[in-house]
Amino acid sequence: MIRMPEKKDALKLFEYLLNPAVGMYSRIKPASPEELWFSLMEKREAADSIVRVIVDDADEPVGFIAIWNYNRFAREGFLATIIAEEHWGKGYNQRAKAAFLAEVFRQGLECAIVLVRKTNPRSLKAVSKLPYACAMPVEERTRLQNLYAGITDEHEIFGIYRDVFERVQAEMPDSAYPVLPVLEN
């Protein structure tokens, strides 16, 4: 379901980002597959990001999921998911998020912040399907806007808190979202 990125994934992931329906919402805008690979590795080395590739049953990439701006002191970071248009509606988003969040919460993250542009109805709908995502309270929203550049009133802000996530996961059948081993970043 998720795994460490491999250099061979960059070509397919880059192709997905070329689709305006996908790429317009991406934080990274690489000019080539090589630049995408370099960007992912640079973030990994900076230790402020955790990136995994979302794969299908044949281990082919269908997208990627990441925590950006991982603040280890505050134990929070921004969750982002990119899934190729041809794979929309197949359940990859929920399964990848569950597996990835289980991993990053075991590594010490306490809150995954999800920013969604109000003009992105697909992502708003996807977040609404996550039983553990919560709308951020006004005071938390204000704190985040003051702390991180780029958060505006044009974003909906959600939080996925470790305790809520773990409580919801404990109530789900074991087979729904298997817990994966922690991968080295």
Side-chain angles (χ1 to χ4, degrees):
M1 168 57 21
I2 62 172
R3 63 167 166 74
M4 294 290 287
E6 298 172 3
K7 192 169 186 173
K8 66 181 174 111
D9 300 327
L11 180 60
K12 197 66 153 166
L13 295 173
F14 178 73
E15 289 174 13
Y16 296 154
L17 289 172
L18 291 177
N19 178 342
V22 176
M24 73 182 293
Y25 297 113
S26 177
R27 176 188 179 141
I28 54 176
K29 310 280 188 205
S32 68
E34 294 77 20
E35 188 177 313
L36 172 61
W37 177 249
F38 177 77
S39 177
L40 293 176
M41 292 304 97
E42 183 178 56
K43 284 294 194 183
R44 180 176 158 186
E45 295 302 316
D48 70 345
S49 302
I50 301 170
V51 179
R52 300 292 180 258
V53 173
I54 303 168
V55 296
D56 62 14
D57 291 337
D59 198 42
E60 291 298 316
V62 299
F64 63 89
I65 187 166
I67 291 287
W68 305 115
N69 293 78
Y70 185 6
N71 181 330
R72 293 181 194 279
F73 178 73
R75 299 191 323 186
E76 65 187 17
F78 292 89
L79 180 66
T81 309
I82 297 293
I83 296 177
E85 186 173 17
E86 60 264 30
H87 299 288
W88 291 353
K90 296 181 180 177
Y92 287 109
N93 183 51
Q94 283 190 327
R95 290 192 312 268
K97 277 186 173 58
F100 184 69
L101 289 166
E103 177 185 338
V104 296
F105 285 143
R106 286 193 312 262
Q107 291 182 32
L109 189 78
E110 290 293 328
C111 178
I113 303 160
V114 182
L115 289 181
V116 181
R117 290 184 189 103
K118 293 177 181 177
T119 58
N120 186 347
R122 287 196 59 78
S123 289
L124 288 170
K125 183 179 178 183
V127 173
S128 75
K129 292 180 181 180
L130 300 174
Y132 40 78
C134 313
M136 286 283 193
V138 173
E139 63 275 0
E140 185 65 4
R141 179 185 182 89
T142 302
R143 180 189 75 82
L144 292 170
Q145 285 178 314
N146 291 333
L147 192 59
Y148 298 104
I151 302 176
T152 70
D153 290 335
E154 303 200 5
H155 292 100
E156 292 291 343
I157 307 174
F158 302 90
I160 300 174
Y161 298 93
R162 179 183 185 158
D163 60 336
V164 174
F165 175 81
E166 289 175 348
R167 186 172 59 249
V168 169
Q169 291 298 98
E171 295 168 1
M172 298 179 90
D174 289 339
S175 62
Y177 302 113
V179 174
L180 302 174
V182 174
L183 302 174
E184 291 299 320
N185 195 24

